Amino acid sequence: MTGMPFLSLRWVSIVSAFLVFAALQAAAIYQTGGYFEYPLDDTYIHLAMAESIWSGGYGVNLSEPSAASSSALFPFLLVPVVSLEFQRYMPLIWNIIGLGLSAWLWAELLLEGGYGKGKLKRYGVALAVLGPTAVLMPSNAMIGMEHTLHAAASLAILLGLMRLLKGTPSWGLLFAGILFAPLFRFEGLALSLLAALVIFSCKEKRRGGVALFLAFVPILLFCGFLVLLGLDPLPSSVQAKIASAVRDEMPMYLRIIRMFMANLTEPGGILLMLYLVVLLGMWLSSESLRRSPMAKQWVVLVGATGAHLLLGHVGWLNRYEHYILSVVTAGILVLLPIVMQGSDLGRVGMRAIIAVLLPLAIYAKSNVTILVESPKSIYLQQRQMSEFAKRYMKTPVAVNDLGWVAWGNPNYVLDLFGLGSTEALKYRTTKSEPGWGGPMAVRHDVRFAMVYEEWMKEAIGKDWVRVGMFITEEDWGFVSGAQVAFFATSADYIPRLIKALHQWVPTLPAGTHFEYDEGFE
């Protein structure tokens, strides 16, 4: 019976995380009228990559290698071993697994921090209930991408380091986190490297070497694999995000400063900066922390959080900061009893609750509104465009928002944004001649394009003819625009495009419509 309090805290964390996840999913499905959908079209980029991998390629088009996914490992977990329809739910399945692991690791960290016994236990229960939602576990699991598994690997590193510094190491857990964190997201390298340095500092040279090997060698092999395919060592998706945040040619140090300033314009970036200030205050005010073996854990928290603010991204449905928010929040919680050693445990517990309520309040609006509404926007816009491309036109197509249109599409998909095309990425991120998408469309026999016109003015071919706009009537959730321009890439292709539109438009769901340009009705 003595183990029951510890067991119950684990279950409280897991059950609370899944209850919130189920509530968010139910609300989203209600919004779509009973149709399951992910909040971001990006999930289908991973599915398209996995489909290509299963067929012996690597990219969104079987005939053209590309690294459209930021994750080295995640697309390989999604290969359609059963069917394409079942494959569509594989991101959901993996995120359910990741959510369970993350919630369990969160509870384990609370227990290691002393929140499962004595006067702190009631606060531990509250932290187990609120914590997973506060650090975005259920909401990121709903997105259906690699971020949930990355967060679980990151929490495994934190828990493994804590046990190591307390003299009860869990090497398997720690090594697993160090291996998988970078494989799920490149940002995981910072945390894995810091963990390896801590292992070395504990006079574990052999195991430190193993940690460095696990952190670097698999990701270096992946980069080498990309080079062998004729691609750049960094995935084009990573390059595209860097180019979007820092557009001008400038020295590296100025790029880093600009990235840092851009992150501080986001609520999540401000929160992470606040946590850095809290950690600094802990260090300056607590001699017990400075003398504790857990001081090394403090260094890891500061280093990883600072690295993310300088080199990582914040925002886009709060998925980029999920892993570091989970790590730094849990880290502050486990350091509080050390920092406030000798204080009333009620004060310790209340400060821990405040540390969790803060992100819960900051992210509440986006979780309750934007996240829940976004699946409807994907269903109304991207799903319908996919239907048009694959069932009605059945020809190569150009887009600038890759995902649904590429997944399950046997025809070539030209990604003008550049995630699925290194050539397009270079055109878009350099001072290229306007109309650069035209020659690319000719080379790939692209007959029509569906693009956000404001995004892609420079890419639109000189011979392209706009025939109309596909319009989402309400501003639902997280899409890049309510109006998608439809172009024939040559006047010769207009009749076929118009015929397909006449067949497709009557099938559009309520909340959308198509407006023909004059002369194309």
Side-chain angles (χ1 to χ4, degrees):
M1 296 295 293
T2 57
M4 288 302 293
F6 296 87
L7 179 64
S8 62
L9 197 61
R10 295 183 183 100
W11 279 111
V12 167
S13 180
I14 293 170
V15 170
S16 68
F18 277 106
L19 285 176
V20 174
F21 174 75
L24 291 172
Q25 286 286 10
I29 291 172
Y30 175 80
Q31 291 275 9
T32 61
Y35 185 83
F36 170 78
E37 189 54 89
Y38 297 104
L40 284 176
D41 196 40
D42 300 47
T43 306
Y44 293 94
I45 298 176
H46 294 287
L47 289 170
M49 290 283 296
E51 183 187 1
S52 177
I53 290 168
W54 186 246
S55 299
Y58 190 80
V60 294
N61 295 297
L62 189 59
S63 60
E64 179 183 39
S66 64
S69 169
S70 300
S71 175
L73 180 59
F74 194 58
F76 289 91
L77 300 180
L78 304 178
V79 292
V81 294
V82 178
S83 66
L84 279 182
E85 184 54 32
F86 178 78
Q87 187 204 15
R88 192 166 86 88
Y89 295 97
M90 290 179 70
L92 174 66
I93 293 169
W94 279 113
N95 274 268
I96 287 173
I97 293 170
L99 177 59
L101 287 172
S102 295
W104 171 70
L105 288 163
W106 176 267
E108 289 290 338
L109 282 159
L110 293 177
L111 294 171
E112 290 287 345
Y115 293 95
K117 56 187 177 181
K119 293 183 179 180
L120 282 179
K121 184 184 175 183
R122 60 178 177 174
Y123 296 102
V125 172
L127 294 171
V129 171
L130 299 174
T133 301
V135 299
L136 309 173
M137 290 180 191
S139 55
N140 268 270
M142 186 175 169
I143 292 172
M145 296 176 69
E146 75 274 13
H147 306 280
T148 301
L149 292 168
H150 178 211
S154 302
L155 288 171
I157 292 175
L158 186 67
L159 179 59
L161 286 178
M162 187 174 184
R163 288 177 175 173
L164 171 63
L165 295 172
K166 291 174 68 174
T168 57
S170 298
W171 292 111
L173 178 71
L174 182 54
F175 286 154
I178 290 171
L179 170 65
F180 285 110
L183 286 176
F184 281 121
R185 296 283 302 177
F186 274 72
E187 297 98 313
L189 275 172
L191 192 58
S192 291
L193 174 60
L194 288 166
L197 295 178
V198 170
I199 296 172
F200 274 115
S201 74
C202 294
K203 298 181 180 179
E204 291 279 0
K205 293 183 179 180
R206 183 175 63 83
R207 289 190 171 99
V210 171
L212 283 177
F213 179 91
L214 293 174
F216 281 109
V217 172
I219 208 69
L220 287 175
L221 289 174
F222 172 70
C223 293
F225 166 69
L226 296 183
V227 172
L228 287 175
L229 292 176
L231 304 172
D232 293 330
L234 275 181
S236 53
S237 53
V238 175
Q239 297 181 56
K241 291 181 180 71
I242 294 172
S244 297
V246 186
R247 295 182 183 275
D248 302 324
E249 293 295 330
M250 59 178 63
M252 181 57 69
Y253 75 94
L254 289 179
R255 285 172 172 261
I256 292 173
I257 292 173
R258 187 164 176 177
M259 183 75 75
F260 174 72
M261 297 305 296
N263 284 335
L264 289 186
T265 63
E266 297 285 343
I270 296 171
L271 178 61
L272 291 176
M273 191 67 204
L274 176 61
Y275 278 164
L276 276 179
V277 173
V278 170
L279 286 168
L280 180 60
M282 285 180 159
W283 182 266
L284 294 175
S285 65
S286 175
E287 186 177 353
S288 59
L289 173 61
R290 295 194 297 270
R291 291 184 175 182
S292 168
M294 294 298 291
K296 295 176 181 178
Q297 186 101 310
W298 180 91
V299 172
V300 170
L301 294 171
V302 170
T305 306
H308 186 86
L309 282 172
L310 290 171
L311 302 172
H313 291 268
V314 173
W316 285 85
L317 278 185
N318 314 313
R319 58 196 168 124
Y320 293 131
E321 70 264 33
H322 169 42
Y323 84 99
I324 194 63
L325 178 65
S326 301
V327 166
V328 71
T329 306
I332 288 174
L333 296 184
V334 299
L335 290 180
L336 268 174
I338 300 172
V339 171
M340 300 181 67
Q341 194 171 31
S343 300
D344 178 70
L345 291 179
R347 291 181 60 203
V348 176
M350 284 307 301
R351 293 193 182 187
I353 295 294
I354 291 171
V356 165
L357 288 177
L358 194 58
L360 194 65
I362 287 174
Y363 291 109
K365 182 179 179 180
S366 63
N367 284 343
V368 173
T369 57
I370 298 175
L371 181 73
V372 169
E373 293 172 351
S374 290
K376 182 173 184 177
S377 67
I378 299 301
Y379 172 71
L380 290 178
Q381 188 181 88
Q382 301 296 328
R383 172 64 191 266
Q384 306 311 315
M385 290 162 58
S386 171
E387 290 288 305
F388 179 71
K390 289 181 273 192
R391 292 194 179 186
Y392 295 92
M393 278 299 286
K394 299 179 182 179
T395 64
V397 57
V399 297
N400 68 266
D401 204 2
L402 196 62
W404 248 117
V405 175
W407 176 61
N409 192 340
N411 299 298
Y412 184 86
V413 179
L414 173 59
D415 176 22
L416 296 172
F417 191 74
L419 301 185
S421 170
T422 54
E423 182 184 7
L425 179 63
K426 289 174 182 176
Y427 280 130
R428 187 179 65 81
T429 55
T430 58
K431 295 179 180 179
S432 302
E433 185 75 19
W436 54 261
M440 289 190 70
V442 172
R443 286 198 301 275
H444 294 289
D445 195 30
V446 170
R447 307 295 179 90
F448 73 111
M450 303 181 292
V451 298
Y452 298 121
E453 195 168 2
E454 288 299 313
W455 276 34
M456 305 305 295
K457 284 182 178 179
E458 297 296 312
I460 294 171
K462 296 176 181 179
D463 296 328
W464 293 11
V465 180
R466 201 183 82 174
V467 300
M469 302 286 286
F470 175 45
I471 298 173
T472 306
E473 294 165 5
E474 295 186 51
D475 185 15
W476 289 101
F478 201 81
V479 290
S480 301
Q483 298 185 353
V484 181
F486 279 49
F487 290 87
T489 57
S490 166
D492 295 337
Y493 304 141
I494 292 175
R496 180 168 181 176
L497 179 57
I498 295 299
K499 180 181 178 181
L501 283 169
H502 286 164
Q503 295 172 333
W504 173 65
V505 169
T507 71
L508 290 175
T512 66
H513 69 275
F514 191 88
E515 292 184 359
Y516 291 95
D517 285 355
E518 187 176 353
F520 296 110
E521 296 84 351

